Amino acid sequence: MDQIDRQLLKLLHENARISIVELSQKVCLSRPSVKERIDKLAEQGIIKNFTILPSYQKMGHQISFFSEISNIKWPAPQIEAELQKYPNITEIHIVLGKSNYLVKASVKDTNEMKLLIAEWMTFSDVTSTMILETTLENRFIEE
């Protein structure tokens, strides 16, 4: 990966809908060269997805929170399959430390949050932290 690849990644990270034409102008390369570089970055797994970052709050989910899930009572594959069934969960991370999993979820209200956590408590210990405000999200790491 060279400096142009890094520049392309940064531009795509800022706006995944940017056109090849605009990208080629910004990095001073031909459109076919830019397309080839993007395809290669995707093939190598450096680009995992071309996606959006939705505002769950504007979609009616007023509360986002993290839950640490520990002391699980089921085998790990079963826990992971169970957690993936909840449409409110936006992220699941296997972690080291006091917890086994760190889960991020968004819900409409505290009642929905309480019900969700109560369900998780049937198979694990749960410690949750409500997000008041996000001051940095999805930052692009430049080397």
Side-chain angles (χ1 to χ4, degrees):
M1 229 176 58
D2 63 12
Q3 191 57 37
I4 293 173
D5 288 339
R6 292 186 202 302
Q7 191 177 1
L8 286 170
L9 285 172
K10 185 173 193 273
L11 291 165
L12 286 166
H13 185 265
E14 291 168 2
N15 177 9
R17 294 183 58 170
I18 190 170
S19 70
I20 297 291
V21 171
E22 196 172 346
L23 282 169
S24 69
Q25 292 169 349
K26 290 185 184 260
V27 297
C28 302
L29 280 179
S30 69
R31 289 182 305 238
S33 294
V34 167
K35 172 89 169 84
E36 184 178 313
R37 282 174 175 264
I38 291 170
D39 290 345
K40 191 172 185 179
L41 291 168
E43 286 171 14
Q44 293 172 337
I46 295 169
I47 295 176
K48 295 190 324 184
N49 286 311
F50 293 89
T51 188
I52 60 166
L53 187 59
S55 169
Y56 293 111
Q57 191 169 31
K58 290 186 179 182
M59 295 169 58
H61 291 250
Q62 299 303 312
I63 298 171
S64 290
F65 64 97
F66 288 101
S67 288
E68 295 180 39
I69 296 180
S70 58
N71 297 323
I72 56 176
K73 298 171 180 74
W74 301 345
Q78 188 177 350
I79 291 289
E80 292 164 25
E82 181 67 22
L83 290 172
Q84 289 181 21
K85 291 178 185 176
Y86 293 94
N88 298 67
I89 292 178
T90 58
E91 298 177 20
I92 301 171
H93 304 276
I94 299 171
V95 295
L96 291 174
K98 293 179 185 177
S99 302
N100 305 105
Y101 295 92
L102 180 63
V103 174
K104 184 177 180 184
S106 289
V107 293
K108 294 178 180 162
D109 54 36
T110 55
N111 189 50
E112 190 174 356
M113 181 180 175
K114 183 177 81 172
L115 293 172
L116 199 56
I117 292 169
E119 287 183 37
W120 299 343
M121 290 173 76
T122 62
F123 54 79
S124 65
D125 292 341
V126 181
T127 304
S128 297
T129 305
M130 192 182 303
I131 299 170
L132 296 178
E133 182 179 359
T134 300
T135 59
L136 177 67
E137 185 173 49
N138 198 28
R139 172 189 273 174
F140 182 74
I141 300 172
E142 297 184 60
E143 293 182 41

mmCIF file of all heavy atoms in Angstrom, residues 4 12-13 18-19 29 32-33 53 59 62 76 85 89 95-96 106 118 123 127 129-131 134:
data_model
loop_
_atom_site.group_PDB
_atom_site.id
_atom_site.type_symbol
_atom_site.label_atom_id
_atom_site.label_comp_id
_atom_site.label_asym_id
_atom_site.label_seq_id
_atom_site.Cartn_x
_atom_site.Cartn_y
_atom_site.Cartn_z
ATOM 1 N N ILE A 4 -0.823 6.865 -2.301
ATOM 2 C CA ILE A 4 -2.051 7.062 -3.096
ATOM 3 C C ILE A 4 -3.164 6.147 -2.583
ATOM 4 O O ILE A 4 -4.311 6.576 -2.447
ATOM 5 C CB ILE A 4 -1.785 6.858 -4.606
ATOM 6 C CG1 ILE A 4 -0.865 7.968 -5.118
ATOM 7 C CG2 ILE A 4 -3.095 6.833 -5.387
ATOM 8 C CD1 ILE A 4 -0.390 7.804 -6.538
ATOM 9 N N LEU A 12 -12.488 7.697 0.568
ATOM 10 C CA LEU A 12 -13.627 6.778 0.607
ATOM 11 C C LEU A 12 -14.206 6.681 2.013
ATOM 12 O O LEU A 12 -15.422 6.539 2.181
ATOM 13 C CB LEU A 12 -13.217 5.392 0.105
ATOM 14 C CG LEU A 12 -13.006 5.285 -1.397
ATOM 15 C CD1 LEU A 12 -12.277 3.995 -1.746
ATOM 16 C CD2 LEU A 12 -14.324 5.387 -2.145
ATOM 17 N N HIS A 13 -13.370 6.768 3.014
ATOM 18 C CA HIS A 13 -13.844 6.736 4.397
ATOM 19 C C HIS A 13 -14.710 7.954 4.688
ATOM 20 O O HIS A 13 -15.726 7.855 5.362
ATOM 21 C CB HIS A 13 -12.660 6.675 5.359
ATOM 22 C CG HIS A 13 -13.060 6.513 6.782
ATOM 23 N ND1 HIS A 13 -13.198 7.574 7.629
ATOM 24 C CD2 HIS A 13 -13.366 5.417 7.507
ATOM 25 C CE1 HIS A 13 -13.567 7.140 8.813
ATOM 26 N NE2 HIS A 13 -13.674 5.829 8.771
ATOM 27 N N ILE A 18 -18.389 8.779 -3.132
ATOM 28 C CA ILE A 18 -17.621 9.618 -4.040
ATOM 29 C C ILE A 18 -17.401 8.869 -5.357
ATOM 30 O O ILE A 18 -17.183 7.661 -5.366
ATOM 31 C CB ILE A 18 -16.279 10.043 -3.390
ATOM 32 C CG1 ILE A 18 -15.586 11.115 -4.232
ATOM 33 C CG2 ILE A 18 -15.387 8.860 -3.132
ATOM 34 C CD1 ILE A 18 -14.383 11.749 -3.533
ATOM 35 N N SER A 19 -17.473 9.584 -6.444
ATOM 36 C CA SER A 19 -17.355 8.939 -7.756
ATOM 37 C C SER A 19 -15.895 8.648 -8.098
ATOM 38 O O SER A 19 -14.977 9.292 -7.578
ATOM 39 C CB SER A 19 -17.963 9.827 -8.842
ATOM 40 O OG SER A 19 -17.153 10.971 -9.044
ATOM 41 N N LEU A 29 -4.782 10.622 -10.782
ATOM 42 C CA LEU A 29 -4.582 9.371 -11.524
ATOM 43 C C LEU A 29 -5.749 9.189 -12.483
ATOM 44 O O LEU A 29 -6.822 9.758 -12.277
ATOM 45 C CB LEU A 29 -4.544 8.171 -10.576
ATOM 46 C CG LEU A 29 -3.275 7.866 -9.818
ATOM 47 C CD1 LEU A 29 -3.473 6.649 -8.934
ATOM 48 C CD2 LEU A 29 -2.090 7.645 -10.734
ATOM 49 N N PRO A 32 -9.292 4.509 -14.752
ATOM 50 C CA PRO A 32 -9.015 3.067 -14.688
ATOM 51 C C PRO A 32 -7.997 2.697 -13.595
ATOM 52 O O PRO A 32 -8.146 1.672 -12.932
ATOM 53 C CB PRO A 32 -8.469 2.739 -16.078
ATOM 54 C CG PRO A 32 -9.016 3.805 -16.969
ATOM 55 C CD PRO A 32 -9.087 5.032 -16.120
ATOM 56 N N SER A 33 -6.991 3.555 -13.400
ATOM 57 C CA SER A 33 -5.995 3.276 -12.356
ATOM 58 C C SER A 33 -6.620 3.330 -10.968
ATOM 59 O O SER A 33 -6.339 2.485 -10.110
ATOM 60 C CB SER A 33 -4.844 4.286 -12.425
ATOM 61 O OG SER A 33 -4.126 4.121 -13.617
ATOM 62 N N LEU A 53 -22.927 5.331 7.812
ATOM 63 C CA LEU A 53 -22.928 5.407 9.264
ATOM 64 C C LEU A 53 -24.256 6.044 9.661
ATOM 65 O O LEU A 53 -24.398 7.259 9.652
ATOM 66 C CB LEU A 53 -21.742 6.251 9.743
ATOM 67 C CG LEU A 53 -21.468 6.313 11.225
ATOM 68 C CD1 LEU A 53 -21.211 4.913 11.794
ATOM 69 C CD2 LEU A 53 -20.271 7.207 11.491
ATOM 70 N N MET A 59 -33.392 7.830 13.830
ATOM 71 C CA MET A 59 -34.277 6.748 13.419
ATOM 72 C C MET A 59 -35.200 6.317 14.567
ATOM 73 O O MET A 59 -35.906 5.332 14.462
ATOM 74 C CB MET A 59 -33.445 5.549 12.934
ATOM 75 C CG MET A 59 -32.640 5.843 11.681
ATOM 76 S SD MET A 59 -31.430 4.552 11.286
ATOM 77 C CE MET A 59 -32.451 3.115 11.122
ATOM 78 N N GLN A 62 -33.390 6.425 20.772
ATOM 79 C CA GLN A 62 -32.868 7.547 21.555
ATOM 80 C C GLN A 62 -31.719 7.165 22.487
ATOM 81 O O GLN A 62 -30.994 8.033 22.949
ATOM 82 C CB GLN A 62 -34.004 8.178 22.373
ATOM 83 C CG GLN A 62 -35.124 8.740 21.515
ATOM 84 C CD GLN A 62 -34.634 9.778 20.505
ATOM 85 O OE1 GLN A 62 -33.897 10.672 20.845
ATOM 86 N NE2 GLN A 62 -35.049 9.628 19.260
ATOM 87 N N ALA A 76 -19.560 -20.515 23.904
ATOM 88 C CA ALA A 76 -19.352 -19.277 23.141
ATOM 89 C C ALA A 76 -20.108 -19.241 21.803
ATOM 90 O O ALA A 76 -20.775 -18.241 21.515
ATOM 91 C CB ALA A 76 -17.860 -19.039 22.918
ATOM 92 N N LYS A 85 -29.111 -12.525 17.107
ATOM 93 C CA LYS A 85 -30.556 -12.527 16.844
ATOM 94 C C LYS A 85 -31.217 -11.201 17.206
ATOM 95 O O LYS A 85 -32.306 -10.907 16.738
ATOM 96 C CB LYS A 85 -31.239 -13.648 17.634
ATOM 97 C CG LYS A 85 -30.904 -15.034 17.156
ATOM 98 C CD LYS A 85 -31.600 -16.063 18.033
ATOM 99 C CE LYS A 85 -31.209 -17.472 17.671
ATOM 100 N NZ LYS A 85 -31.817 -18.452 18.593
ATOM 101 N N ILE A 89 -28.766 -4.827 18.493
ATOM 102 C CA ILE A 89 -27.316 -4.880 18.678
ATOM 103 C C ILE A 89 -26.641 -4.441 17.388
ATOM 104 O O ILE A 89 -26.907 -4.965 16.321
ATOM 105 C CB ILE A 89 -26.865 -6.297 19.081
ATOM 106 C CG1 ILE A 89 -27.373 -6.644 20.474
ATOM 107 C CG2 ILE A 89 -25.343 -6.403 19.029
ATOM 108 C CD1 ILE A 89 -27.020 -8.041 20.937
ATOM 109 N N VAL A 95 -13.778 -9.880 23.934
ATOM 110 C CA VAL A 95 -12.759 -9.073 24.605
ATOM 111 C C VAL A 95 -12.026 -9.875 25.681
ATOM 112 O O VAL A 95 -12.498 -10.923 26.121
ATOM 113 C CB VAL A 95 -13.388 -7.801 25.237
ATOM 114 C CG1 VAL A 95 -13.940 -6.884 24.162
ATOM 115 C CG2 VAL A 95 -14.479 -8.150 26.243
ATOM 116 N N LEU A 96 -10.883 -9.371 26.070
ATOM 117 C CA LEU A 96 -10.113 -9.932 27.189
ATOM 118 C C LEU A 96 -10.326 -9.058 28.404
ATOM 119 O O LEU A 96 -10.540 -7.856 28.289
ATOM 120 C CB LEU A 96 -8.628 -9.956 26.849
ATOM 121 C CG LEU A 96 -8.189 -10.933 25.772
ATOM 122 C CD1 LEU A 96 -6.712 -10.734 25.461
ATOM 123 C CD2 LEU A 96 -8.448 -12.360 26.203
ATOM 124 N N SER A 106 -28.666 -0.126 20.407
ATOM 125 C CA SER A 106 -29.484 1.097 20.386
ATOM 126 C C SER A 106 -30.938 0.705 20.569
ATOM 127 O O SER A 106 -31.416 -0.247 19.947
ATOM 128 C CB SER A 106 -29.310 1.835 19.068
ATOM 129 O OG SER A 106 -28.030 2.406 18.986
ATOM 130 N N ALA A 118 -32.452 -7.627 30.638
ATOM 131 C CA ALA A 118 -33.040 -8.731 31.416
ATOM 132 C C ALA A 118 -32.944 -10.048 30.650
ATOM 133 O O ALA A 118 -32.676 -11.101 31.242
ATOM 134 C CB ALA A 118 -34.490 -8.411 31.761
ATOM 135 N N PHE A 123 -28.538 -15.645 30.579
ATOM 136 C CA PHE A 123 -27.410 -16.503 30.212
ATOM 137 C C PHE A 123 -26.047 -15.913 30.591
ATOM 138 O O PHE A 123 -25.010 -16.483 30.254
ATOM 139 C CB PHE A 123 -27.431 -16.860 28.717
ATOM 140 C CG PHE A 123 -27.490 -15.693 27.768
ATOM 141 C CD1 PHE A 123 -26.366 -14.952 27.462
ATOM 142 C CD2 PHE A 123 -28.696 -15.356 27.165
ATOM 143 C CE1 PHE A 123 -26.420 -13.896 26.579
ATOM 144 C CE2 PHE A 123 -28.768 -14.304 26.269
ATOM 145 C CZ PHE A 123 -27.624 -13.566 25.978
ATOM 146 N N THR A 127 -23.200 -5.875 32.683
ATOM 147 C CA THR A 127 -22.941 -4.539 33.203
ATOM 148 C C THR A 127 -23.081 -3.582 32.031
ATOM 149 O O THR A 127 -22.397 -3.748 31.018
ATOM 150 C CB THR A 127 -21.518 -4.430 33.800
ATOM 151 O OG1 THR A 127 -21.359 -5.437 34.793
ATOM 152 C CG2 THR A 127 -21.273 -3.059 34.387
ATOM 153 N N THR A 129 -23.522 0.448 30.295
ATOM 154 C CA THR A 129 -23.178 1.859 30.370
ATOM 155 C C THR A 129 -23.887 2.590 29.240
ATOM 156 O O THR A 129 -23.711 2.246 28.074
ATOM 157 C CB THR A 129 -21.649 2.057 30.229
ATOM 158 O OG1 THR A 129 -20.981 1.275 31.213
ATOM 159 C CG2 THR A 129 -21.274 3.519 30.373
ATOM 160 N N MET A 130 -24.697 3.575 29.595
ATOM 161 C CA MET A 130 -25.435 4.344 28.600
ATOM 162 C C MET A 130 -24.525 5.413 27.995
ATOM 163 O O MET A 130 -23.761 6.063 28.711
ATOM 164 C CB MET A 130 -26.654 5.008 29.247
ATOM 165 C CG MET A 130 -27.627 5.581 28.249
ATOM 166 S SD MET A 130 -29.038 6.408 29.011
ATOM 167 C CE MET A 130 -29.735 5.122 30.024
ATOM 168 N N ILE A 131 -24.609 5.592 26.694
ATOM 169 C CA ILE A 131 -23.822 6.615 26.004
ATOM 170 C C ILE A 131 -24.592 7.932 26.070
ATOM 171 O O ILE A 131 -25.731 8.003 25.608
ATOM 172 C CB ILE A 131 -23.569 6.225 24.531
ATOM 173 C CG1 ILE A 131 -22.790 4.909 24.455
ATOM 174 C CG2 ILE A 131 -22.841 7.344 23.795
ATOM 175 C CD1 ILE A 131 -22.699 4.316 23.066
ATOM 176 N N THR A 134 -21.497 11.064 21.825
ATOM 177 C CA THR A 134 -20.330 10.532 21.131
ATOM 178 C C THR A 134 -19.561 11.709 20.552
ATOM 179 O O THR A 134 -20.095 12.462 19.737
ATOM 180 C CB THR A 134 -20.755 9.555 20.015
ATOM 181 O OG1 THR A 134 -21.484 8.481 20.616
ATOM 182 C CG2 THR A 134 -19.548 8.995 19.279
#
